[in-house]
Amino acid sequence: MAGLADSGSNPDVDLLFDINGLAKDAPTWFDRVMEFVGEYGIVLAMVLLVVWCWWSVRRRGDEGAASSVAALVWAPLAAGIAVLVNVPIRGFVERPRPFLDHQGLEVLVTGKTDYSFVSDHATIVMALGVGLFVANRKFGLVGIGLALLGGFCRVYMGVHYPTDVVGGFALGTAVALLLSPLAMALLTPVMSAVERSPRGGWLIRARGVSRPGGQEAMIPGARKEAAGAEERDLAA
């Protein structure tokens, strides 16, 4: 299994050299930007996108807020599960990093000693992107676009073959979609209970946003005060 791409005539290797060759022609500052984006930037952007989507969902406070937040919770959980699934896959395939088998690559990140297939980065960002798509299509499309950019960066940096990235995309997508029905069945009731909670309801719906059926969301204690005021009016 270690020799998935040992030949220079292999399209996987050819594409690797074509994409990584861009790093040789690019200015040093651009390579540093791609290094940061590929190693940390895309993951950070995905996390911020999930938080932004959550903020938008709770401010809108529509009828499906609890299920939308449940899907947002599922997104990072799916990424974590996908990485765990990848552990035995890496151990079975045992594919070395491309720069160990092929000379002449411009490697932007050093210290990568683990196996190459499947790419953890590609797996994580695509699982987040697809999980985000389950919650909100507009945010999800942006997330999937960022994931594709992240995969390109991994090949550009010389630390993964293109098929490592494609495999990561497939794994992240499979986990996020196939386990989504079970995850939503478990998480949606939990988020609905949180929504009804006086202290945790703000995580699902912003204060003052009307609940389904037109009932206004009330801050804790407001119902007691209103009832007390009504009793005083009756006594008068």
Side-chain angles (χ1 to χ4, degrees):
M1 290 293 179
L4 282 175
D6 293 331
S7 171
S9 62
N10 189 312
D12 193 25
V13 178
D14 292 341
L15 186 57
L16 165 67
F17 275 94
D18 288 341
I19 296 176
N20 180 254
L22 300 173
K24 295 182 179 181
D25 300 330
T28 302
W29 66 266
F30 186 79
D31 284 348
R32 298 287 79 80
V33 170
M34 291 294 284
E35 175 187 344
F36 175 80
V37 171
E39 193 75 1
Y40 308 106
I42 295 296
V43 175
L44 177 60
M46 292 296 296
V47 172
L48 293 176
L49 192 63
V50 170
V51 173
W52 184 9
C53 185
W54 164 74
W55 188 261
S56 175
V57 166
R58 66 180 293 274
R59 283 176 62 87
R60 190 171 61 249
D62 57 19
E63 188 173 353
S67 61
S68 295
V69 174
L72 290 173
V73 173
W74 167 238
L77 290 177
I81 293 173
V83 170
L84 291 177
V85 172
N86 189 29
V87 172
I89 295 176
R90 281 194 166 198
F92 176 73
V93 177
E94 294 184 343
R95 188 186 204 180
R97 294 280 181 168
F99 52 80
L100 297 177
D101 286 341
H102 303 282
Q103 300 296 321
L105 290 173
E106 186 75 12
V107 183
L108 302 186
V109 179
T110 59
K112 299 291 183 181
T113 58
D114 55 343
Y115 293 124
S116 186
F117 186 91
V118 175
S119 168
D120 276 340
H121 274 77
T123 300
I124 291 171
V125 294
M126 187 55 76
L128 285 171
V130 174
L132 191 57
F133 185 81
V134 173
N136 184 288
R137 290 189 177 182
K138 292 182 179 179
F139 281 93
L141 289 175
V142 175
I144 291 173
L146 288 174
L148 295 174
L149 174 60
F152 176 84
C153 289
R154 302 303 290 177
V155 181
Y156 181 97
M157 294 158 59
V159 295
H160 280 294
Y161 294 99
T163 48
D164 297 338
V165 171
V166 173
F169 288 164
L171 178 58
T173 300
V175 170
L177 287 183
L178 294 180
L179 297 182
S180 176
L182 175 61
M184 294 299 292
L186 295 174
L187 291 172
T188 300
V190 174
M191 294 302 107
S192 297
V194 172
E195 181 182 12
R196 294 190 297 269
S197 170
R199 295 185 178 181
W202 65 272
L203 291 169
I204 312 299
R205 193 183 305 276
R207 300 293 190 191
V209 176
S210 61
R211 299 181 185 276
Q215 182 182 354
E216 292 295 323
M218 303 182 70
I219 60 175
R223 189 178 302 275
K224 285 185 176 181
E225 293 175 3
E230 184 177 354
E231 290 177 0
R232 287 193 299 270
D233 290 340
L234 291 175

